[in-house]
Amino acid sequence: MHPVRVAYWLVMAGAGLQLGQAGAAAWLLLRYDGVVERLGPWSRIEAMLIETVYVHLLGAFVLAAGLCVLLSGAAMAVPRRSPYTRGVVGWVLLLVVLALLLGVVYSPDSVLLPDNQRQLDHLQPLLPLWYTAVQGIAVIGAIGLSVLAVLRLAREEAGEYYHRRHDPTATWRGFTSWLDMRFQD
């Protein structure tokens, strides 16, 4: 398979992982108030932790949804034949990796730091362990897929693809040109 097509699907897979992470965070946000009411009463320290976890969960949702959109845009740019495409996509993927690493630091798990086991048992239903697993898989997967996409775009065949010139008389030099590469694999 041609490296440009592989890079396109790798970036789209990263966008799908981020969409899954955003969906998991949205699910927890939708049921958050009900869980808080059901598990109350809360101490003052627990109430502050509840607010902080909510804010960080909302931030995780916004970050994952934004990165999904950014990765989708980068994927749409991958097939565009321009000498600048590889550089732009590479910088976007580097930005995505940095944002994901910062998102791990800002994750809801990082603020759920109870004082004792009783408090942990009381707060744990707010942020189930499956969310931690989903977040970890999505972050590691998106970083790995971004690195693989950059490596595929760095190949010589991809360089030839991006530096090959179009017919100057063509009325539209659009995105379908990469589909013609399937017979040259």
Side-chain angles (χ1 to χ4, degrees):
M1 211 180 225
H2 197 274
V4 174
R5 186 175 311 144
V6 172
Y8 170 80
W9 288 112
L10 289 170
V11 175
M12 283 303 289
L17 285 173
Q18 289 305 300
L19 181 63
Q21 182 181 354
W27 171 255
L28 289 178
L29 285 170
L30 288 174
R31 55 186 295 277
Y32 197 80
D33 289 335
V35 172
V36 169
E37 288 178 22
R38 183 172 46 97
L39 295 174
W42 303 97
S43 68
R44 184 182 316 164
I45 294 172
E46 289 174 336
M48 288 185 335
L49 284 172
I50 288 169
E51 288 290 322
T52 307
V53 168
Y54 181 80
V55 168
H56 283 249
L57 191 60
L58 185 61
F61 167 73
V62 169
L63 178 67
L67 290 179
C68 176
V69 170
L70 186 62
L71 284 168
S72 297
M76 293 299 118
V78 166
R80 185 166 178 85
R81 282 193 180 189
S82 168
Y84 307 108
T85 300
R86 289 193 304 174
V88 169
V89 171
W91 281 108
V92 166
L93 293 177
L94 177 65
L95 176 68
V96 166
V97 168
L98 292 175
L100 285 169
L101 292 175
L102 287 175
V104 167
V105 173
Y106 188 73
S107 73
D109 289 324
S110 67
V111 296
L112 189 59
L113 301 171
D115 294 333
N116 53 41
Q117 185 64 38
R118 185 194 61 76
Q119 198 176 42
L120 176 64
D121 293 340
H122 198 199
L123 291 169
Q124 191 61 47
L126 296 175
L127 199 61
L129 292 176
W130 63 262
Y131 176 75
T132 304
V134 166
Q135 182 183 14
I137 290 168
V139 168
I140 291 170
I143 289 172
L145 291 170
S146 296
V147 169
L148 288 174
V150 167
L151 291 175
R152 294 300 281 189
L153 289 175
R155 296 184 86 186
E156 187 176 330
E157 296 93 356
E160 292 172 5
Y161 172 82
Y162 287 116
H163 292 291
R164 193 178 306 152
R165 293 286 170 207
H166 289 290
D167 179 14
T169 62
T171 56
W172 185 66
R173 302 177 191 139
F175 296 100
T176 59
S177 60
W178 74 292
L179 296 172
D180 297 333
M181 299 300 288
R182 84 174 163 195
F183 296 111
Q184 297 179 8
D185 288 344

